[in-house]
Amino acid sequence: MLIFLFALFFAMTFSNPALFLNDEWITVNQLHQLGEGHQIIVNEGKYGTFLNGTPGPYMQSHHNLLGYTMMLPVLSLPALWFFGLFGDQFRLAVIFLWSLLPIAMAVLVDVYRPQYARWRGVRWTWLVVGAAFAGFLANLVFYYPWPFTAPDAPVEAAAVVFTNHLLFAALAVMAYLTCRIIFEDTWFSLFGTIACVSCSSYIFWASNAKDHMLVAAMTAAVILFLVRYIRHGALRDAALGFAFIGLLAWARPEVGLAVFIFAVLYFVGLQISRGLLRRPVKETVKVLCMPLATLAGAIPLFINNICVTGNPLVPSFYVYQSGAWGAESGGAFIGSTDTIGDVVQAVPAPSDGVSSFLSMVTTQFTSSWSTLPGDIFGILFAPESGNMSLVAVSPLIVLAVILIPVLYLDYRKGERSPNLPVMIFLFVAACAIWVAYARSLPMLSTSHGIVPDIRYLSPLYLPAGLLGVYGIRRLNGAINSKRLMLSLTAVIAISAPALLLAMMLIQPYGGRYAGYTQFFTQITSVLLAATLILIAARERFGISQRWVTAALLLLVAVPFGWQMMMVFLYSVAKFNGYPLWIPVVETLYEHCIGVNGITPP
């Protein structure tokens, strides 16, 4: 609970409810039309449309159709209804909630962890309560209302962003619970949670209206419950894990399908390795039926597909495969034929559902073998687009790769860790995410629309991060977990502001987005190389562990600083939304940080 409350408080403090990418127009339009009780297929024009009602270039390129799945808009409805209770004063409700979060955390510590409620005899929890109350009063001084009831008020952007805050907080909890299962150490699990969140783009996506935070949260749930099953063997956990794969498919069908196929193969292999075939037939059938729980989790996806395409197996994204169709086109149409501007929009219903489904699957999971090595290298290390690479965002990926031969050598020596099946599963999950976008690999490192990182592969950061954290545990031997976690917190708290200040003062490589990206990429690369050299030197020459630990902590802290740059400094580059949630933070930003000439990358 403390992790959830702190993650939510952190996200609300530094982010603003607005849009970063024009892709987000589709989601907020869906939410608007869903909230109004209208159809959800053809854009009715609140976002991405000119004042005269004509769709803008982006919506025209998408034939003015809304082809994303409805999971994120549906989950955002409660936030929209909640904000609607307060009308134009809904920002005041957010401020009140923000002020209550540290009070709730202090009370929880005081009641359930009283041994941590005092520091050198001082009951610091009361200081937190007082600071929260003072913060609320300070926010009232700088408070001004946000429009909610105006026809063009971007309330849907606020609702979706707030929902992503909640999903981010839930992901942090699930990452911690997964670490607890693997490491059975509270302090090291906290370290692992901070490391996984820092070495990712999750803080960034938690502050925007794209569905990447949703996909990451569903992936975290799948990993949590299947890891619970691997370690403890409860069939309920296996059923929940596969059910969340169904929900993951609702969020992103291609990721859900790939994860399902790989998870089933791993699940069957795990059962065979554990002697399932020697058990009674009834028990064998019961266990092997667990993957069918995916169908239960995918029921919303099937309903969504039926509403949009008329076929439960044909995803809503199919509407973009056929383009815009005039009223004179023959055949049955998906949805209604609505006129937006002077264009009649409709999409013909698909025929041969099963064959279309199989064709889409084959196409999605097929890659260009001739360019595959170069594509993977570019995605991992040097995207041609100039965006952040996977390794620059999550250097833990390299430690995860190093872990493979280490585990193999341990296995050959007869040192089989109880976590070995879990590590194999995390590798399988990581591979599934790569395969889900096999068709798109050639363009992931070249497309300038994939910002700020290789965003479609963002679910990879969690399994790779968990593997990297396990690598830290395995390669460092005996460590003081509490000291390591507290040291990481201190390093992040000091280095992140220092990096942002240095970046603003120096303006590396000419400044702007490309220069800042190169700045953080090179710092991460240097620290990664230094860390690997120090690890090798410790093994070969026995140098002090403190040097390795210091390098590792800085390596984790730098991606966190990059995320803070994208969330906080680039908040002014966002559109169709509101400024920072918290008035005091907004005032400090306006008076202490000067940002000009900035546009979305």
Side-chain angles (χ1 to χ4, degrees):
M1 199 63 182
L2 284 170
I3 293 172
F4 181 89
L5 295 176
F6 179 81
L8 180 59
F9 177 80
F10 178 84
M12 293 173 65
T13 300
F14 295 103
S15 63
N16 65 317
L19 309 183
F20 185 78
L21 299 168
N22 50 18
D23 287 353
E24 299 167 43
W25 277 333
I26 295 176
T27 300
V28 292
N29 272 318
Q30 288 175 317
L31 177 58
H32 169 69
Q33 294 169 207
L34 182 65
E36 294 293 324
H38 297 176
Q39 54 83 31
I40 54 172
I41 304 168
V42 180
N43 174 33
E44 295 178 357
K46 181 170 183 179
Y47 298 90
T49 303
F50 293 116
L51 291 176
N52 62 3
T54 304
Y58 176 83
M59 294 308 302
Q60 286 183 5
S61 69
H62 286 69
H63 314 300
N64 209 44
L65 297 169
L66 308 176
Y68 289 179
T69 68
M70 289 298 298
M71 187 174 188
L72 186 54
V74 168
L75 292 179
S76 301
L77 264 181
L80 186 64
W81 292 335
F82 174 74
F83 293 159
L85 297 175
F86 303 92
D88 291 340
Q89 304 300 327
F90 81 95
R91 190 189 192 189
L92 185 61
V94 173
I95 294 169
F96 186 69
L97 172 63
W98 179 81
S99 303
L100 282 179
L101 291 175
I103 295 176
M105 287 186 279
V107 171
L108 285 171
V109 170
D110 212 34
V111 173
Y112 294 102
R113 294 290 186 271
Q115 67 272 26
Y116 299 124
R118 293 180 181 272
W119 184 73
R120 295 187 177 181
V122 178
R123 201 168 185 176
W124 60 266
T125 52
W126 289 109
L127 298 177
V128 171
V129 172
F133 183 70
F136 179 70
L137 294 179
N139 281 318
L140 291 182
V141 172
F142 299 103
Y143 170 79
Y144 61 92
W146 286 345
F148 184 94
T149 55
D152 60 347
V155 292
E156 293 81 13
V160 176
V161 171
F162 187 77
T163 301
N164 275 332
H165 290 350
L166 296 173
L167 290 168
F168 168 71
L171 178 141
V173 173
M174 290 184 286
Y176 168 75
L177 293 175
T178 305
C179 287
R180 277 292 302 271
I181 297 168
I182 296 173
F183 302 113
E184 300 177 344
D185 182 328
T186 298
W187 288 105
F188 194 81
S189 297
L190 288 171
F191 168 83
T193 303
I194 297 172
C196 287
V197 171
S198 298
C199 294
S200 72
S201 55
Y202 297 152
I203 300 174
F204 171 76
W205 292 119
S207 67
N208 294 292
K210 278 291 289 180
D211 62 353
H212 299 303
M213 190 67 254
L214 171 65
V215 176
M218 293 302 104
T219 304
V222 172
I223 289 174
L224 170 62
F225 286 107
L226 289 182
V227 167
R228 282 175 58 91
Y229 171 74
I230 295 168
R231 286 299 302 269
H232 305 306
L235 290 180
R236 180 187 63 180
D237 291 328
L240 287 171
F242 281 104
F244 270 103
I245 292 179
L247 291 173
L248 174 61
W250 188 21
R252 281 275 176 169
E254 64 274 20
V255 179
L257 181 59
V259 171
F260 172 74
I261 293 172
F262 277 70
V264 168
L265 293 174
Y266 173 84
F267 184 78
V268 173
L270 180 67
Q271 302 309 320
I272 293 174
S273 69
R274 292 181 173 179
L276 180 68
L277 299 179
R278 296 190 296 270
R279 301 178 191 174
V281 175
K282 183 178 180 180
E283 183 179 351
T284 301
V285 172
K286 181 180 179 181
V287 171
L288 294 180
C289 283
M290 289 300 104
L292 296 178
T294 305
L295 296 176
I299 288 175
L301 169 66
F302 298 145
I303 296 173
N304 193 161
N305 292 345
I306 290 172
C307 292
V308 177
T309 67
N311 189 313
L313 295 179
V314 178
S316 56
F317 202 77
Y318 173 86
V319 299
Y320 295 136
Q321 305 299 316
S322 299
W325 298 78
E328 69 275 8
S329 300
F333 287 93
I334 293 175
S336 57
T337 53
D338 293 343
T339 301
I340 305 294
D342 297 326
V343 182
V344 178
Q345 303 284 342
V347 176
S351 59
D352 302 326
V354 174
S355 61
S356 297
F357 171 77
L358 294 176
S359 176
M360 284 186 290
V361 171
T362 303
T363 303
Q364 181 66 35
F365 295 162
T366 302
S367 183
S368 173
W369 291 101
S370 61
T371 63
L372 188 60
D375 296 335
I376 293 177
F377 179 84
I379 291 169
L380 286 174
F381 300 104
E384 293 182 25
S385 61
N387 294 316
M388 292 285 281
S389 67
L390 287 184
V391 170
V393 174
S394 181
L396 295 177
I397 292 175
V398 175
L399 297 180
V401 173
I402 293 175
L403 184 63
I404 297 176
V406 172
L407 291 177
Y408 175 74
L409 292 175
D410 288 347
Y411 184 81
R412 289 292 301 270
K413 295 176 183 177
E415 301 174 4
R416 185 169 182 177
S417 168
N419 281 313
L420 183 59
V422 174
M423 296 301 105
I424 295 174
F425 169 69
L426 293 175
F427 278 115
V428 168
C431 291
I433 294 166
W434 277 94
V435 171
Y437 291 102
R439 183 187 67 172
S440 305
L441 290 180
M443 69 88 164
L444 289 182
S445 68
T446 60
S447 174
H448 292 278
I450 310 298
V451 294
D453 60 337
I454 313 297
R455 68 173 190 255
Y456 291 125
L457 294 177
S458 58
L460 175 72
Y461 295 136
L462 183 58
L466 291 169
L467 287 166
V469 171
Y470 188 84
I472 292 174
R473 182 68 171 258
R474 170 63 183 81
L475 297 172
N476 281 273
I479 53 177
N480 187 318
S481 300
K482 181 178 179 180
R483 180 179 299 175
L484 184 66
M485 195 284 294
L486 295 177
S487 298
L488 176 61
T489 304
V491 169
I492 288 176
I494 295 172
S495 64
L499 278 171
L500 295 183
L501 181 62
M503 183 192 70
M504 289 186 288
L505 294 176
I506 299 171
Q507 292 291 304
Y509 304 104
R512 298 184 179 272
Y513 174 74
Y516 302 147
T517 298
Q518 189 176 356
F519 174 70
F520 278 98
T521 298
Q522 291 188 355
I523 290 179
T524 303
S525 301
V526 170
L527 285 173
L528 178 60
T531 301
L532 296 178
I533 291 171
L534 288 171
I535 290 175
R538 190 204 59 195
E539 294 293 330
R540 181 68 177 83
F541 304 108
I543 67 170
S544 174
Q545 175 63 35
R546 292 183 179 180
W547 291 98
V548 179
T549 301
L552 280 170
L553 296 181
L554 288 172
L555 184 65
V556 171
V558 170
F560 179 90
W562 169 76
Q563 290 193 81
M564 292 306 299
M565 178 198 74
M566 296 303 304
V567 170
F568 193 53
L569 296 187
Y570 267 84
S571 62
V572 295
K574 296 166 74 173
F575 53 93
N576 286 149
Y578 304 96
L580 295 163
W581 286 110
I582 309 305
V584 169
V585 179
E586 178 188 358
T587 303
L588 291 173
Y589 185 95
E590 292 176 347
H591 289 85
C592 300
I593 301 176
V595 179
N596 55 65
I598 195 171
T599 57

